[in-house]
Amino acid sequence: MSTALELRVGLIGLGRMGRAMAERLIEQAVPLTVWNRDPARARGLPEGSIVASPAAVAEHSDIILIVVRDAAALDDVYASLLTTSLAGKTVVEMSTASIGAVTSALARAADAGATVLDAPISGSVCPARRGELLIMAGGETSTFERARPVFDRLARRAVHTGALGSGIAMKLVVNLPLAAYWQSLGEAIGLGIRHGLAADQVLAVIADSKAAIGALTGKIDRILDPSLPAEFDVAGVLKDLEAMRDSAAAVQFDVPACTTARDAAQAAVGAGFGNSDLALLVRLAAGLSAAPGASS
Ligand SMILES: NC(=O)c1ccc[n+]([C@@H]2O[C@H](COP(=O)([O-])OP(=O)(O)OC[C@H]3O[C@@H](n4cnc5c(N)ncnc54)[C@H](OP(=O)(O)O)[C@@H]3O)[C@@H](O)[C@H]2O)c1
């Protein structure tokens, strides 16, 4: 990306995704202001870019990106954001939560004068660091065009999905088959093992077959080695599945595959694996050991 960005960008939330996105934007020479609830997560970022509250991010920025965990985090962040004027600002909600939680948070920002987009992301930490995310954005075309130069620095593709709320709807739609895939992959590995195949061999053959999906190659290491650090955790998968289930219930649509995956994620969280990488769900469905360091 060669032309300089004239907009000042703010980023709220320096978790795994937000931190990777901040590093990417700094590398792209984007003027950036950041805030995270736990200041330790800002360590190593330029001192002058770190401020004390979401409201302070808004005061220093034209476009405010928000990448926090869930609906409860949105409540806390918007409570601060809405203490300052948002006139002339664009608020871009990139967190994954239910459609209702995202749209009602953005409606409050719009009431405070902001133009708004719901623009959740697909991809994980490495694509974020490389500027190769997929962004699905709902909102006015003019607001999408305003944010596009920022999206171009973060994403391999930014799709304008339609009206406000359509971006988060698309994100939940994308994540549903993914969650069902990890569950069925675990069952496939478990079936193979019980017929004398090795887990690593099953994974290598599936990865080279029509049963592979784009996300599989990057997850094989974590499926085989549960001691590797989490890129996206089981509790986050549960949170997403509950957002899908709530969004389906709102339109009286049955999602049995979502319910199965949700029950498995709930059981894993209940068993104490909420902080593990989602690859652990594959191991559990396969009947493999969940212990760190175990490969079978
Ligand atoms: N990781 C992925 O691969 C991935 C991919 C696509 C989309 N996403 C979505 O991106 C969002 C962030 O994911 P992540 O993996 O970066 O999560 P994460 O590593 O768990 O980080 C969560 C972030 O949310 C903040 N947060 C949580 N509760 C908060 C509160 N009450 N008030 C203010 N901030 C709060 C955390 O602040 P503290 O540091 O203070 O706890 C942290 O910055 C989620 O909605 C996730 O579903 C993630």
Side-chain angles (χ1 to χ4, degrees), residues 1-284:
M1 199 60 48
S2 49
T3 52
L5 187 70
E6 293 185 357
L7 296 166
R8 298 166 305 155
V9 177
L11 198 153
I12 294 172
L14 296 168
R16 283 170 289 231
M17 289 303 276
R19 173 77 194 212
M21 291 162 66
E23 289 172 0
R24 166 74 185 170
L25 290 170
I26 288 167
E27 186 183 85
Q28 295 285 303
V30 169
L32 189 67
T33 303
V34 299
W35 174 83
N36 194 67
R37 181 181 59 175
D38 174 1
R41 283 182 117 157
R43 209 169 284 144
L45 295 179
E47 210 46 56
S49 70
I50 305 164
V51 295
S53 67
V57 171
E59 282 153 16
H60 288 85
S61 310
D62 304 303
I63 294 207
I64 302 132
L65 313 179
I66 301 167
V67 198
V68 292
R69 179 100 183 159
D70 54 16
L74 294 191
D75 282 346
D76 290 347
V77 164
Y78 283 77
S80 166
L81 210 53
L82 294 170
T83 62
T84 191
S85 169
L86 296 176
K89 316 276 179 183
T90 296
V91 173
V92 182
E93 186 47 71
M94 307 185 91
S95 318
T96 307
S98 71
I99 297 170
V102 168
T103 53
S104 67
L106 286 173
R108 286 189 284 146
D111 286 346
T115 53
V116 298
L117 291 175
D118 57 307
I121 43 193
S122 185
S124 65
V125 176
C126 291
R129 192 59 192 79
R130 292 195 298 259
E132 294 174 359
L133 294 169
L134 171 63
I135 294 176
M136 298 147 279
E140 296 289 336
T141 302
S142 55
T143 314
F144 179 75
E145 290 305 332
R146 186 175 201 225
R148 191 197 282 278
V150 182
F151 292 164
D152 285 347
R153 285 160 169 84
L154 290 170
R156 64 181 167 79
R157 186 170 176 211
V159 186
H160 184 208
T161 46
L164 197 70
S166 63
I168 184 63
M170 183 67 85
K171 165 68 179 169
L172 297 179
V173 162
V174 167
N175 273 23
L176 199 163
L178 205 47
Y181 182 82
W182 299 127
Q183 176 68 22
S184 64
L185 179 66
E187 291 175 17
I189 295 168
L191 181 64
I193 289 171
R194 280 153 191 79
H195 286 279
L197 300 170
D200 56 349
Q201 184 192 32
V202 170
L203 277 165
V205 173
I206 288 180
D208 193 30
S209 78
K210 295 251 186 269
I213 60 163
L216 176 58
T217 314
K219 270 291 167 233
I220 289 179
D221 284 356
R222 282 174 172 76
I223 295 170
L224 292 173
D225 183 357
S227 70
L228 292 173
E231 291 176 320
F232 189 54
D233 57 45
V234 172
V237 174
L238 177 60
K239 176 260 302 176
D240 288 359
L241 285 160
E242 291 189 330
M244 287 168 216
R245 200 184 52 165
D246 293 350
S247 304
V251 290
Q252 289 98 43
F253 185 68
D254 279 343
V255 282
C258 174
T259 303
T260 302
R262 184 255 171 214
D263 291 349
Q266 170 78 76
V269 169
F273 299 121
N275 293 328
S276 300
D277 190 87
L278 68 85
L280 199 83
L281 293 168
V282 178
R283 291 186 69 85
L284 294 173

